[in-house]
Amino acid sequence: MTPQLEEVLGHPAAGWQRTPAPLDDVALSSRVRLARNVSDLPFSPTLTSEQAKELLARVEKAIHGETVMGTFSFDRLEDLSAVDRRVLVEKHLISPMHARDARGAVFLRADEAVSGMVFEEDHIRLQTMCPGLQLADAWELASRLDDVLEEQLEWAFSEELGYLSTCPTNVGTAMRASAMLHLPALTWTGRIEALLAGLAKVGVVVRGMYGEGSAAAGGIFQISNQTSLGQSERDLAEHLQSVCHQVIEHERRAREALYEEMREAVEDRVGRAYGILTNARIMSSSEALPLLSDLRLGVVLGILPSLTLDAWSELLVLTRSGFLQRQEDADSPQKRDVVRATMLRRRLAASLREGPDERQ
Amino acid sequence: MTPQLEEVLGHPAAGWQRTPAPLDDVALSSRVRLARNVSDLPFSPTLTSEQAKELLARVEKAIHGETVMGTFSFDRLEDLSAVDRRVLVEKHLISPMHARDARGAVFLRADEAVSGMVFEEDHIRLQTMCPGLQLADAWELASRLDDVLEEQLEWAFSEELGYLSTCPTNVGTAMRASAMLHLPALTWTGRIEALLAGLAKVGVVVRGMYGEGSAAAGGIFQISNQTSLGQSERDLAEHLQSVCHQVIEHERRAREALYEEMREAVEDRVGRAYGILTNARIMSSSEALPLLSDLRLGVVLGILPSLTLDAWSELLVLTRSGFLQRQEDADSPQKRDVVRATMLRRRLAASLREGPDERQ
């Protein structure tokens, strides 16, 4: 494993994850993924092992060492343990599908803002991450990375259709832009259902935090564009940005209304989450996520003023099973639940000088 | 209302409630109740209003002012509000049945160790309370109070049957001795069921904290004698004392085994109870009781060394709805739940200098 990847796997906080960021009271992150395929090789599903090696070698050569965008590490998945790959998934650097096939590779910059999967559903999936809601910035960054690679690789491209991809639904811009939004108030009040139904009508897809098929636990939703054909990348990013902005406004109003009309219930929920997270000795990841969600709501509403959003973002990664298993050598779920609880108590004790505010 | 009763209603801690007391790691209190009826008046169910007034006047005269046992207050229930009576029930000084009929009266000593209901199912029910498991002491105290009253009142008594009472099941000693035991480990491990079935076979009745028909919430059980005919009071008290002793030993062994085999689970449960009680903003009485039960287990096991059993006993009364309503003027259940949570946070912050011990 490269030292740069080793460093990334050992730290819960990504370099790009810095607050304050635009609309970060609701938006956790913005991401752009571009699917690219090399023109003189077959698409991934029909690639031979020899051709796959050839693909990896070419991408490694193109990205390796210093580029105008910074220094990239390049690691073959076969050199990584199952736990290492799991952490990459938890950090959203590779997809669960990519983690399962050891023939692929991953490249990334130390700040994790720019990365790529090699030999996934497409030959290459480029990815950029920005904090808060900054889809245009994420697109700019992705476009620059695309340019860097295109200097040495020739993409499968049709003047008529745009970028070609393995799955026809990605043909065109071959771009998927998405934002991770924290919508606890809309979830709590049950208004999320109608909102999601409305989003489907404007070409937007809503998923849970870990993509397709994952539940929206803890009120965290991934909102992404559905169509990639017939619009420019910039238009797509701007459309999604505008949709997300509206969702964020809905969430903000729902939070205000909740806190005004049911202050005690909101403070009760935040207080209980704080009390349990700082005192439990056994904690599963599925229990931790909704409690952390309540904690973030408390931070944003000023009920937990001494916790920072950056410290919170670290907890989100720290509590994941793969990360815990890698750091603490907790190899059974039972051990992990104890280690997770211990870690949460210590981290929260360190970052929270005081508990929830007493307002009454 | 007499000033002495006013004082009692305003304080959560009873004077008798002092630790250390024998076996107080499990036994909360020991109580003896004696049923007595005046010989020349009909039993309560057929007493006319005039006769009831006559009964109250006679008892007041007998108990009033200084006696060899101390100074007693005497209050007619018609002079007390519904909330005052509710607090008397919560403090186990009168029965729920007694509280419903305003024609009765209550007398008590300032430390609440010695008291009596007048015009309940029987003319008089004397009651004595001791901390921990001290059934013989409670019986001695009751017997002395009985002597004091007998100097001025003549009891309905048959040489053949003993003391006569309204309900034939109480005829004989007309005594009910009981101990309040905290059995969280036996409850947690499910071993309580077999134990309760066994107790029924040795003439012992098990009820919840508020007597007949009340559930054993929070693992607190009231264990009392079933028969009153054919045995002396002392024998009955000693038999119950010995049964309770065995139950206490079972509970102690269950606690040790639990803590040895599942230390994290025990600390987790105590820690969560502490975390929720010190941070919730809304707390119902039915939620508070099991959490307080977990807290007491934590105190006894040394997980929460800075909380005293005396402070804990106060919380048990403080969280009751009547007491809260009387002190804080919280007249709706919603308001009470907020006041209860606030009170718990403040009391626990005041009595707990630190949270659960970190052993690992």
Side-chain angles (χ1 to χ4, degrees):
Chain A
M1 192 190 323
T2 58
Q4 184 158 311
L5 182 62
E6 177 90 48
E7 182 84 10
V8 160
L9 292 178
H11 282 91
W16 60 263
Q17 221 158 18
R18 284 285 164 265
T19 55
L23 309 168
D24 63 8
D25 54 330
V26 179
L28 305 185
S29 59
S30 299
R31 178 171 76 176
V32 164
R33 273 188 180 168
L34 299 178
R36 293 291 182 265
N37 290 280
V38 176
S39 62
D40 60 347
L41 288 172
F43 286 129
S44 290
T46 52
L47 212 59
T48 66
S49 290
E50 277 311 300
Q51 290 168 322
K53 279 184 190 164
E54 164 74 14
L55 169 67
L56 264 61
R58 286 204 218 167
V59 177
E60 182 172 17
K61 181 164 172 288
I63 199 73
H64 209 242
E66 198 74 20
T67 74
V68 290
M69 291 193 74
T71 308
F72 285 82
S73 60
F74 185 96
D75 286 87
R76 283 167 174 74
L77 296 189
E78 63 187 13
D79 297 333
L80 307 181
S81 70
V83 177
D84 292 336
R85 285 184 234 163
R86 190 170 178 180
V87 174
L88 285 172
V89 172
E90 291 172 356
K91 284 177 152 255
H92 300 282
L93 289 166
I94 66 174
S95 65
M97 179 186 151
H98 196 49
R100 278 192 290 273
D101 188 342
R103 294 174 303 163
V106 59
F107 60 86
L108 50 81
R109 205 165 70 178
D111 68 354
E112 303 171 48
V114 191
S115 64
M117 294 182 261
V118 188
F119 193 33
E120 205 233 15
E121 185 182 302
D122 290 292
H123 288 168
I124 307 181
R125 287 205 160 162
L126 311 178
Q127 171 176 294
T128 56
M129 302 280 284
C130 292
L133 188 68
Q134 304 189 77
L135 286 162
D137 289 45
W139 154 244
E140 289 298 339
L141 206 56
S143 175
R144 282 174 58 204
L145 178 61
D146 187 32
D147 292 345
V148 166
L149 290 172
E150 215 176 1
E151 283 171 20
Q152 299 191 51
L153 301 167
E154 192 179 331
W155 300 139
F157 184 81
S158 137
E159 284 300 332
E160 197 184 346
L161 296 169
Y163 293 100
L164 301 179
S165 57
T166 302
C167 179
T169 59
N170 293 325
V171 166
T173 61
M175 175 177 93
R176 182 174 297 274
S178 67
M180 203 78 87
L181 303 185
H182 183 225
L183 308 175
L186 290 171
T187 305
W188 191 353
T189 57
R191 290 174 48 208
I192 194 79
E193 297 303 330
L195 191 78
L196 297 187
L199 289 179
K201 290 184 192 146
V202 293
V204 160
V205 180
V206 181
R207 296 189 172 94
M209 188 162 46
Y210 286 92
E212 223 155 338
S214 72
I220 298 176
F221 295 82
Q222 193 188 104
I223 296 189
S224 61
N225 64 311
Q226 192 150 31
T227 53
S228 62
L229 192 64
Q231 274 185 290
S232 75
E233 288 91 340
R234 179 167 300 282
D235 286 351
L236 276 174
E238 276 173 7
H239 174 241
L240 188 63
Q241 172 98 10
S242 133
V243 168
C244 286
H245 215 126
Q246 286 172 51
V247 174
I248 289 170
E249 278 308 318
H250 279 287
E251 171 64 21
R252 283 175 167 176
R253 281 199 294 274
R255 288 179 186 181
E256 271 170 39
L258 260 185
Y259 202 35
E260 199 168 305
E261 289 155 26
M262 301 165 56
R263 204 194 62 195
E264 268 118 5
V266 174
E267 292 183 351
D268 182 61
R269 191 154 164 163
V270 173
R272 282 166 185 260
Y274 167 82
I276 293 171
L277 286 169
T278 50
N279 286 286
R281 308 295 172 117
I282 300 170
M283 173 77 54
S284 68
S285 58
S286 60
E287 186 189 3
L289 189 53
L291 294 174
L292 287 172
S293 168
D294 292 343
L295 219 56
R296 193 180 210 274
L297 182 63
V299 173
V300 172
L301 289 175
I303 301 170
L304 276 171
S306 64
L307 185 67
T308 65
L309 290 183
D310 287 331
W312 183 88
S313 298
E314 287 193 21
L315 291 177
L316 203 61
V317 174
L318 275 166
T319 49
R320 305 299 308 176
S321 296
F323 196 87
L324 281 177
Q325 193 174 341
R326 194 174 187 279
Q327 304 310 114
E328 307 276 353
D329 199 30
D331 50 358
S332 74
Q334 289 72 26
K335 270 196 214 166
R336 274 201 293 281
D337 288 354
V338 171
V339 169
R340 181 180 293 109
T342 306
M343 185 277 299
L344 277 165
R345 287 202 310 284
R346 296 192 178 155
R347 282 264 168 171
L348 282 171
S351 49
L352 271 167
R353 284 288 132 241
E354 53 209 287
D357 260 6
E358 293 276 345
R359 296 221 172 161
Q360 58 192 9
Chain B
M1 194 192 315
T2 58
Q4 184 157 311
L5 182 61
E6 177 90 49
E7 183 83 9
V8 160
L9 292 178
H11 282 90
W16 60 265
Q17 220 157 19
R18 285 285 165 266
T19 55
L23 309 168
D24 63 7
D25 54 331
V26 179
L28 304 186
S29 59
S30 299
R31 179 171 77 176
V32 164
R33 274 187 180 169
L34 299 178
R36 294 292 182 263
N37 289 279
V38 176
S39 63
D40 61 346
L41 287 172
F43 286 130
S44 290
T46 54
L47 212 59
T48 66
S49 290
E50 276 312 300
Q51 289 169 323
K53 280 185 190 164
E54 164 74 15
L55 169 68
L56 263 63
R58 285 204 219 167
V59 178
E60 182 172 17
K61 182 164 170 287
I63 199 75
H64 210 240
E66 198 74 19
T67 75
V68 290
M69 290 193 73
T71 309
F72 285 82
S73 61
F74 186 95
D75 286 86
R76 284 167 174 76
L77 295 189
E78 63 186 13
D79 297 335
L80 306 182
S81 69
V83 177
D84 293 336
R85 284 184 234 164
R86 190 169 177 180
V87 174
L88 284 172
V89 173
E90 290 170 357
K91 284 176 151 256
H92 300 281
L93 289 166
I94 66 174
S95 64
M97 179 186 152
H98 195 50
R100 278 192 291 274
D101 187 343
R103 294 174 305 163
V106 59
F107 60 85
L108 50 82
R109 206 166 70 178
D111 69 355
E112 304 173 45
V114 192
S115 64
M117 294 181 264
V118 188
F119 195 31
E120 205 235 14
E121 186 182 303
D122 290 292
H123 289 166
I124 306 181
R125 288 206 160 161
L126 310 179
Q127 172 176 296
T128 56
M129 303 280 282
C130 291
L133 188 68
Q134 304 189 73
L135 286 161
D137 289 44
W139 154 245
E140 289 298 338
L141 205 55
S143 175
R144 282 174 59 204
L145 178 61
D146 188 32
D147 293 344
V148 166
L149 289 171
E150 216 176 1
E151 283 171 21
Q152 297 189 52
L153 301 167
E154 192 179 329
W155 299 141
F157 184 82
S158 138
E159 285 300 333
E160 195 184 347
L161 296 170
Y163 294 98
L164 302 180
S165 57
T166 302
C167 179
T169 60
N170 293 325
V171 166
T173 62
M175 175 177 92
R176 183 174 295 274
S178 67
M180 203 78 87
L181 303 185
H182 183 223
L183 309 174
L186 290 171
T187 306
W188 190 353
T189 57
R191 291 175 46 208
I192 193 80
E193 298 303 331
L195 190 79
L196 297 187
L199 289 179
K201 289 183 194 147
V202 293
V204 160
V205 181
V206 181
R207 298 190 172 94
M209 189 163 43
Y210 286 92
E212 221 155 339
S214 72
I220 299 176
F221 294 82
Q222 195 189 103
I223 296 188
S224 60
N225 65 313
Q226 190 151 35
T227 53
S228 61
L229 193 61
Q231 275 184 291
S232 75
E233 287 91 342
R234 178 166 301 282
D235 287 349
L236 277 175
E238 276 173 6
H239 175 240
L240 188 64
Q241 173 97 12
S242 131
V243 168
C244 286
H245 216 125
Q246 287 172 52
V247 174
I248 289 170
E249 279 308 318
H250 278 288
E251 171 64 20
R252 283 175 167 175
R253 280 200 293 274
R255 288 179 187 181
E256 271 170 38
L258 260 186
Y259 202 35
E260 199 169 304
E261 290 156 27
M262 302 165 54
R263 205 193 63 195
E264 267 119 5
V266 174
E267 292 183 351
D268 183 61
R269 191 154 163 164
V270 173
R272 282 165 185 260
Y274 167 82
I276 293 170
L277 286 169
T278 50
N279 285 286
R281 309 294 173 118
I282 300 171
M283 174 74 56
S284 68
S285 59
S286 59
E287 187 189 3
L289 190 53
L291 293 174
L292 286 173
S293 168
D294 292 342
L295 219 57
R296 194 180 207 275
L297 182 64
V299 173
V300 171
L301 289 176
I303 302 169
L304 275 171
S306 63
L307 184 68
T308 66
L309 290 183
D310 288 331
W312 183 88
S313 299
E314 286 194 22
L315 291 178
L316 203 62
V317 174
L318 275 166
T319 49
R320 304 300 307 177
S321 295
F323 196 87
L324 280 178
Q325 193 174 342
R326 193 173 187 279
Q327 304 310 116
E328 306 277 352
D329 199 30
D331 50 0
S332 74
Q334 288 72 26
K335 271 195 214 167
R336 274 201 293 280
D337 287 353
V338 171
V339 169
R340 182 180 293 109
T342 306
M343 185 276 299
L344 279 164
R345 285 201 310 285
R346 296 193 177 154
R347 282 265 168 170
L348 284 171
S351 50
L352 272 168
R353 284 288 133 240
E354 54 209 285
D357 259 5
E358 293 275 347
R359 295 221 173 160
Q360 58 192 7

